[in-house]
Amino acid sequence: MANEHNIQINQDRLWNSLMEMAKIGATAKGGCARLALSDLDREGRDLFVRWCKEAGCTVSVDRMGNIFARRPGKNNDLPPVVTGSHLDTQPTGGKFDGVYGVLAGLEVIRTLNDYKFETEAPVEVSVWTNEEGSRFAPAMIASGVFAGVFTEEYGHSRADLDGKTIGEELARIGYFGDLPVGGRKFKAFFEAHIEQGPILEAEKKTIGVVQGIQGMRWFEVTLTGAESHAGTTPMPRRKDAMLGCARIVDRINKIALDHKPGVSTVGLVKVSPNSRNTIPGSVFFSVDLRHPQEEDLARMTKALHDACAEICGDLGLAYECKEIWNSPAIHYDKDCVAAVRKAAEESGYDYRDIVSGAGHDAGYISRVAPTGMVFVPCADGISHNEVESATAEDLAAGCNVLLRAMLKHAA
């Protein structure tokens, strides 16, 4: 009779599933581009749903396009133990960010089927819509709606740079489900993920026992100066919005260095009129500030506002600095964290406690369910990049830990 201690996932099957999914939206440099709610995202979702049905799961979809694939338990009146992540990628993303957590969950179900292991509670795998926030801001919008952080109307109204909304695109690709968003009780939620940082690899640890997620704030900044001729306008008479942007970006970098281990990023810039021989009259850019401590993150935020006021004042520019997302630092459920640590110990893997520098759907889910995460190393800590890489052995190790941690709640 199989028990949780002698069950092992199928490493080759997990790897092959990852490589098959990676063909959808494959890029020339070996990565993936499956932007949220694009036709390629639909293809990835369709493949996942087909695999889940072949594994005997029932599949449901809510009105934010979140997918839930359920394997029944002995007592289906119990709330399920759930795992999952996301299938959407960055425009130049890798094969593992998000999709590993989804397909590791599927591999858990396939493994339970292999061993004919019946859990007491049902087990589910979830796919959360628009985790990346690359096409639609903010990130993790659908898990945020699920957790009650955002309203369903707000989620549906988020638009991409072409004005297409999440609600419209969900309907277009056939994933505007009929279930209400949220209100589903989870016994526990676990998410497996590549670390997206260099710590585990550098310390030769196979498993990261995730304690929580650092705080994050996103801002949208608009600088307004005056368009004028690049050849005829003397330097002292210019109101150059791009110059203001450059100086603020440099200051944003310094803000993070002054608040270690905080980080700061400007990743999106739109210049208007974007002409070679016209001084930019307007610049729009994003700011991403992160820190494990809320007090330091608040100080970083003040420093950003101070920088905008000072630099724009010096250059004669008008500005707006609007906070569009605030995700406080998160601490995961002690029992779920302990289950991951115990699973790593029982499996014989080297592990360490770690705090996530990146946001994850598990962060929002932790507001409505006991939550934990499993990290595995990725090469050079690189993610959000086509060269993102992880070994089959490490991915299998993380999946084995995920399986055992889930069984501690579901068996």
Side-chain angles (χ1 to χ4, degrees), residues 101-124:
V102 172
L103 297 185
L106 175 59
E107 178 56 32
V108 165
I109 285 176
R110 287 169 165 172
T111 299
L112 294 174
N113 290 346
D114 290 345
Y115 286 84
K116 298 179 172 55
F117 190 99
E118 281 190 282
T119 56
E120 190 68 25
V123 170
E124 286 188 1

Side-chain angles (χ1 to χ4, degrees), residues 61-90:
V61 182
D62 72 18
R63 291 194 295 258
M64 281 299 296
N66 298 317
I67 304 170
F68 303 93
R70 173 178 285 219
R71 182 182 192 263
K74 295 177 185 176
N75 183 354
N76 290 309
D77 292 330
L78 292 173
V81 176
V82 186
T83 187
S85 193
H86 60 97
L87 291 174
D88 66 310
T89 75
Q90 292 287 325

